[in-house]
Amino acid sequence: MTSLPPAPTPKQLGLVIDLDVCVGCHACVVSCKEWNTGGYGAALSDQDPYGPNVSGAWLNRVHSYEVVPDGGEIVGESGEARIVHFPKSCLHCEDAPCVTVCPTGASYKRADDGIVLVDESMCIGCGLCAWACPYGAREMDLAAGVMKKCTLCIDRIHNETIEEVDRVPSCVRTCPANARHFGDLADPGSDVSRMVAERGGMDLMPEQGTRPVNKYLPPRARRPLAASAPGIPLAEETDGAKGFFAWLDGMLDRI
Amino acid sequence: MHPALSIILFTTISGLGYGLAAVLGLGMLDPTAVPTKVAHFAALALISGGLLFSTLHLGNPQRAWRAFSQWRSSWLSREGVMAIVTFVPLCMGAYAAIFESRHLVVSGLIGAACAAVTVYCTSMIYASLKSVQAWHTPWTPACYLLFSAAGGLLLGVFFAAIAGAGGALMQMLALLLLAAAWAAKFRWRREMLAMRPLSTPESATGLGHIGQVKLFERPHVNENYLTREMGFKVARKHAEKLWRLAVLLGGMMPALLLVAMPAASGWLAVALAAAAVAAHFLGVLVERWLFFAEARHAVMNYYGG
């Protein structure tokens, strides 16, 4: 059924992504592709994999943005802009537009834990769900002709045949910086919910009315560049030099 | 949005077919005339052809039958169901006209209503998507319905001309509907061009509280499914030219030809009507192309375009 289950679902499994911590290494991207090409559903195909126009279906991608603060100062040659690495996968929205547009019932949201999935045996590959998603979370697999999306590693998180520590999505398990966290966002006492409460976790594009389950933790405030400027050693500045360097500085000035 | 040829052809051709079916259902053409029988056949052929085109872009067309199941939530499913339902009164009407030379009033009216509902469902597939802001307006279904009606009336004028049966009422109505369709379309486009984007790179990343967000690096060097499907730009470059071409072919030319029709008779009238239908068809194809190519998808906020 592509009608949505009554909201909110008793559990809301999802991810919390810390934009302050992500270093943009793309390990989660690769690990996701590796796990999911052998896991749930059809393999994640690539087209022209060893050629110049390689492209394929990925369920998680990392964008990088430059954020220029309003009235940001320019000190020396450095601007105040900061780089934010931005991993993006399905947000498992409470009001998922990708589910309701599906004509076949292939796209659905699980009533118990809120995970949004595609039953590939029912998918006709019309692509309408990818159009309906404002986040670009769905990509068509051009070899299988079915829509692929993040399953929250449904074949890991409830899998009792693997070690307990591994029962989290592949991207979360892999992240070397610990920028990705998995848990139940419906439970206010869970680690992820506490993180969201403490750090002001936010929704992406709240104006689209999708009510995403995944939350993003904003980058922490940074000291303005000007505040750090006196500490920056400059080649022409020798004030405050001590010992051998003070002597050398004096000698070199004299000759 | 990428304008897939199969979808453009589907919406244009089936729109024309449903328009003609509605004209026939309302009994505007003489059911005893041979051209009317051909028109019934043509309407069914246009509708079926359009529906077949629509399956061309599917990844797994062999499962297309499943698309009839989710009419409770999905406009695409509703369209599929309505397309099949509409065939019943249309085929009944076609049978009566072709074999018995008579017009079935009740099934004709039901057929016309069903045709309108089907075109409405088609347009709502697009109008229901909040992620494509330009489409998410009641003017989208208005344009689809009016273009379908104008096209159907032009075809009606054409078949009436072959039958040599004046068709002054249909000419007037066609002129009226053409004007209404383009008025709605002008309104639609003005709204699109003046639109303040609902979503921005700042709201998409949630980083607006820090400052202005610019894409520094895409996740990958080459294009992917999303940028190919939602990030189409070719026609945007020529949008103004194409728009003028669409108005000229789809609106002004058929209107002028319609105005000239009362002065013509016999094969000249047929030729004028045929030219009007052809120009309108090409104009609506360009209009449909722009409908896709000019619409901006929210996901492009992540891709810097």
Side-chain angles (χ1 to χ4, degrees):
Chain A
M1 264 316 288
T2 56
S3 296
L4 289 164
T9 49
K11 272 185 165 190
Q12 293 185 320
L13 297 184
L15 300 176
V16 168
I17 294 171
D18 192 340
L19 295 178
D20 196 60
V21 170
C22 177
V23 294
C25 71
H26 292 241
C28 57
V29 178
V30 177
S31 139
C32 164
K33 176 94 168 181
E34 196 279 331
W35 177 265
N36 284 294
T37 203
Y40 177 94
L44 288 169
S45 72
D46 290 313
Q47 280 65 47
D48 193 18
Y50 303 105
N53 296 314
V54 54
S55 119
W58 298 70
L59 312 183
N60 177 36
R61 297 190 187 255
V62 178
H63 300 243
S64 296
Y65 296 100
E66 183 187 59
V67 192
V68 186
D70 302 325
E73 265 185 278
I74 306 287
V75 176
E77 290 178 348
S78 323
E80 198 111 47
R82 55 191 295 183
I83 297 295
V84 179
H85 300 291
F86 193 91
K88 184 164 61 63
S89 50
C90 173
L91 307 169
H92 299 279
C93 302
E94 236 182 274
D95 201 346
C98 57
V99 169
T100 50
V101 297
C102 176
T104 67
S107 205
Y108 64 104
K109 184 172 174 69
R110 289 170 29 130
D112 46 352
D113 56 16
I115 299 178
V116 176
L117 285 179
V118 174
D119 179 343
E120 293 178 6
S121 66
M122 285 164 78
C123 175
I124 55 173
C126 68
L128 188 57
C129 55
W131 285 11
C133 172
Y135 306 104
R138 291 172 169 242
E139 296 188 19
M140 183 90 79
D141 187 296
L142 296 183
V146 294
M147 196 53 75
K148 304 294 294 190
K149 69 175 295 300
C150 162
T151 67
L152 219 54
C153 284
I154 192 89
D155 45 358
R156 288 175 72 102
I157 57 176
H158 301 305
N159 190 340
E160 291 184 2
T161 65
I162 57 178
E163 299 270 339
E164 198 170 347
V165 69
D166 288 326
R167 288 178 212 160
V168 292
S170 179
C171 57
V172 173
R173 185 77 181 98
T174 299
C175 180
N178 215 19
R180 304 181 71 112
H181 307 273
F182 165 73
D184 179 10
L185 286 136
D187 170 10
S190 69
D191 286 349
V192 281
S193 295
R194 286 214 303 272
M195 258 182 249
V196 170
E198 277 167 27
R199 295 274 306 282
M202 59 196 181
D203 288 349
L204 304 185
M205 294 201 232
E207 68 279 4
Q208 293 279 344
T210 54
R211 288 185 292 150
V213 168
N214 285 13
K215 299 282 184 265
Y216 282 73
L217 305 181
R220 289 183 172 88
R222 201 171 61 169
R223 261 195 318 179
L225 206 54
S228 324
I232 298 172
L234 294 174
E236 292 81 13
E237 193 56 63
T238 56
D239 287 352
K242 286 190 196 100
F244 172 73
F245 290 108
W247 174 80
L248 186 64
D249 178 42
M251 287 305 286
L252 287 171
D253 272 347
R254 262 169 238 139
I255 48 174
Chain B
M1 300 296 295
H2 171 73
L5 196 60
S6 64
I7 302 183
I8 293 176
L9 284 173
F10 155 61
T11 60
T12 314
I13 293 178
S14 72
L16 206 55
Y18 283 119
L20 179 59
V23 167
L24 289 164
L26 295 173
M28 290 191 193
L29 286 168
D30 173 15
T32 57
V34 176
T36 307
K37 300 177 198 290
V38 179
H40 272 284
F41 184 77
L44 289 172
L46 285 169
I47 294 168
S48 321
L51 290 175
L52 281 178
F53 268 121
S54 74
T55 61
L56 287 183
H57 78 288
L58 298 182
N60 281 287
Q62 76 280 9
R63 300 179 193 143
W65 61 271
R66 290 190 181 275
F68 301 121
S69 65
Q70 302 302 311
W71 49 270
R72 283 187 203 81
S73 73
S74 163
W75 283 104
L76 178 50
S77 184
R78 284 172 200 163
E79 183 214 30
V81 171
M82 277 313 297
I84 298 299
V85 168
T86 308
F87 269 119
V88 177
L90 294 194
C91 286
M92 281 165 64
Y95 182 88
I98 292 171
F99 297 106
E100 297 165 2
S101 292
R102 62 198 183 94
H103 171 240
L104 300 180
V105 177
V106 176
S107 91
L109 287 175
I110 295 175
C114 283
V117 174
T118 310
V119 173
Y120 179 74
C121 288
T122 305
S123 67
M124 283 308 290
I125 296 172
Y126 309 108
S128 67
L129 300 179
K130 204 172 179 183
S131 52
V132 186
Q133 200 184 346
W135 294 351
H136 194 60
T137 153
W139 290 102
T140 299
C143 289
Y144 269 76
L145 283 165
L146 289 169
F147 274 117
S148 174
L153 282 162
L154 281 173
L155 271 175
V157 169
F158 169 70
F159 284 109
I162 298 179
L169 173 70
M170 265 191 296
Q171 289 171 17
M172 296 260 288
L173 281 175
L175 212 51
L176 202 69
L177 263 297
L178 266 180
W182 283 102
K185 189 66 201 183
F186 267 88
R187 176 69 208 260
W188 183 92
R189 194 154 188 273
R190 205 179 63 205
E191 212 170 83
M192 181 195 71
L193 293 175
M195 198 164 270
R196 245 187 89 241
L198 175 67
S199 295
T200 59
E202 285 73 28
S203 74
T205 56
L207 299 172
H209 65 281
I210 303 178
Q212 198 198 340
V213 177
K214 283 194 299 187
L215 181 68
F216 181 68
E217 202 171 32
R218 279 189 174 195
H220 41 83
V221 182
N222 291 331
E223 298 290 308
N224 70 11
Y225 173 74
L226 297 170
T227 60
R228 279 191 299 259
E229 192 80 355
M230 330 286 183
F232 188 78
K233 279 184 182 153
V234 178
R236 260 182 238 169
K237 185 179 157 196
H238 304 292
E240 271 315 309
K241 272 185 213 164
L242 286 169
W243 169 246
R244 271 181 244 139
L245 191 70
V247 177
L248 184 74
L249 283 173
M252 286 151 125
M253 270 185 62
L256 282 176
L257 291 165
L258 276 174
V259 172
M261 275 206 64
S265 60
W267 287 107
L268 182 60
V270 175
L272 287 180
V277 169
H280 183 255
F281 177 73
L282 290 175
V284 174
L285 269 186
V286 178
E287 181 270 328
R288 244 359 95 80
W289 175 281
L290 282 174
F291 175 76
F292 287 93
E294 282 196 291
R296 195 175 174 280
H297 194 286
V299 75
M300 292 316 286
N301 286 311
Y302 291 109
Y303 283 91

